[in-house]
Amino acid sequence: MAAEEGKKKNSSFKPITDAQRFRYIGFEVFPGKPKDLFKTDAERKKYVEGVRSKREKGETLRDQCTLLEERVSFLDRMVLTVASVIIFATLFIPWYSAYNEIVEETTVAVQQAAATEDSAMVAAEGDTLAAAGQTMTGDSAAVPATTGSDVAPPPEREGVMQQSAAEEVITSYVAKKKVHKEYSRLLGIGSFISLGSVGSYVFSSGGVVMLTAILFLIYALLCIGLPAYTLYGIYGTKGDPDQRALKLKKMLRLNWMPLILFVLALILSFFGGEYGFDAATTFTSLGKAYGPAAFLGILSWGVILSLGAFILVAVKGVEI
């Protein structure tokens, strides 16, 4: 019975025709008959001959297959090379900077006009004489006739002239403060050279300051080791392109380490710490105690540039 049922099922099964099969191309369903893939028979014959020749050679991949593309292109190698050179070059530009505020006192001259006591008396006398002159003019009958040679100058104008001549200019001086900053900078390579001088101040401070200094010394060492290791991965590894790309990908992951050290040092700065020296007299920018403001304020653009180049190299490793 089971055999008979199987025969019935097989007899009811109808094979799919070519027209039905070509309706389903990719993930789309065509409502009608699809167009011919080739415009002419000559184009179809050329394509078939090309496929047969590839099969005879043992090639099974199409011409524009992404598997045939180079995993690390020439442009990628150039970007990694330039970034590695920049990281190493940042050791010779300022990494740290601090400043002192210098206060200079200057005097500014201020002039103002003032009248003396004599000028005030002269002005009062001039006003009195002017009033008397007006009275005499009103009573013209009581005033005897005078010649032109006997006429005296008006007392009022004489008083005004004496008043302007008696004025004096007083000059006073006002003290003003002028503040300017004097910067001191330290190169990246200078962090190793100045261990005997600057290091004595840093390693005599609190534990947070000491640990931050150690982290940045490791960071400076990575600026020497990681670029050299990256260049070796680009030009020194052996094997086929896939093997070299996988080795380089593992090498480039190490460039995340400087970013981790920087973030760790930033987190430590929030705990704060005390200086083992008088920071106010040494550098004003350090503040009274160590904290995030002092940490970010002391870093110069050399650290930021090297950190950006490290991130670029690490991201390139993700893309491979």
Side-chain angles (χ1 to χ4, degrees):
M1 294 294 292
E4 292 179 358
E5 290 178 358
K7 289 180 181 180
K8 290 180 180 180
K9 290 181 179 179
N10 292 332
S11 62
S12 63
F13 175 76
K14 295 180 180 181
I16 298 175
T17 61
D18 291 341
Q20 292 175 339
R21 179 165 58 88
F22 280 110
R23 286 186 62 195
Y24 299 91
I25 300 175
F27 295 95
E28 297 180 0
V29 178
F30 291 87
K33 185 179 179 180
K35 297 180 180 180
D36 293 334
L37 296 176
F38 306 100
K39 296 180 180 179
T40 60
D41 292 338
E43 184 180 353
R44 178 179 178 278
K45 184 178 179 181
K46 183 180 179 181
Y47 181 81
V48 172
E49 289 177 355
V51 173
R52 287 176 178 175
S53 62
K54 282 186 176 182
R55 286 184 178 180
E56 291 175 359
K57 296 178 182 178
E59 298 178 0
T60 58
L61 299 176
R62 63 178 184 268
D63 294 334
Q64 297 179 351
C65 181
T66 56
L67 296 175
L68 299 177
E69 294 180 358
E70 192 176 6
R71 297 186 65 173
V72 183
S73 64
F74 175 77
L75 180 61
D76 291 335
R77 290 196 294 269
M78 287 297 100
V79 170
L80 293 174
T81 302
V82 172
S84 300
V85 173
I86 290 175
I87 292 171
F88 182 76
T90 55
L91 292 170
F92 302 94
I93 59 178
W95 273 33
Y96 314 103
S97 65
Y99 63 85
N100 274 322
E101 291 184 351
I102 307 300
V103 180
E104 295 180 354
E105 292 188 358
T106 58
T107 55
V108 179
V110 179
Q111 296 181 351
Q112 58 183 359
T116 59
E117 295 180 358
D118 295 337
S119 64
M121 294 176 63
V122 171
E125 292 177 357
D127 293 340
T128 304
L129 291 173
Q134 292 176 359
T135 305
M136 293 173 65
T137 303
D139 194 5
S140 57
V143 178
T146 57
T147 62
S149 59
D150 296 333
V151 176
E156 181 181 358
R157 293 183 56 84
E158 185 177 320
V160 172
M161 293 173 61
Q162 291 178 1
Q163 181 182 2
S164 60
E167 288 181 352
E168 66 177 0
V169 177
I170 300 175
T171 302
S172 60
Y173 294 91
V174 178
K176 291 188 176 181
K177 293 183 179 180
K178 184 179 180 180
V179 180
H180 70 277
K181 299 177 181 179
E182 289 186 355
Y183 283 87
S184 296
R185 295 176 174 85
L186 184 65
L187 304 182
I189 197 68
S191 57
F192 301 105
I193 301 174
S194 61
L195 282 176
S197 57
V198 180
S200 60
Y201 292 100
V202 174
F203 290 101
S204 63
S205 302
V208 173
V209 180
M210 294 173 60
L211 186 56
T212 303
I214 293 172
L215 291 177
F216 270 91
L217 286 176
I218 299 173
Y219 185 99
L221 290 173
L222 292 177
C223 289
I224 301 174
L226 286 180
Y229 193 50
T230 300
L231 293 176
Y232 170 75
I234 298 171
Y235 302 105
T237 54
K238 298 179 180 180
D240 57 35
D242 287 340
Q243 291 177 350
R244 294 176 59 184
L246 292 175
K247 291 179 182 178
L248 180 62
K249 185 179 182 67
K250 293 179 181 179
M251 293 178 177
L252 298 183
R253 290 175 182 173
L254 298 176
N255 287 272
W256 292 113
M257 292 177 59
L259 178 62
I260 295 173
L261 294 177
F262 181 85
V263 173
L264 183 58
L266 179 62
I267 293 173
L268 285 174
S269 66
F270 285 93
F271 292 95
E274 298 294 333
Y275 297 115
F277 55 94
D278 190 0
T281 58
T282 306
F283 291 109
T284 311
S285 61
L286 296 178
K288 296 181 180 180
Y290 178 75
F295 171 74
L296 296 175
I298 200 174
L299 296 179
S300 188
W301 54 281
V303 176
I304 307 302
L305 183 60
S306 64
L307 186 63
F310 275 126
I311 295 174
L312 176 61
V313 175
V315 170
K316 279 293 179 183
V318 176
E319 295 178 355
I320 296 177

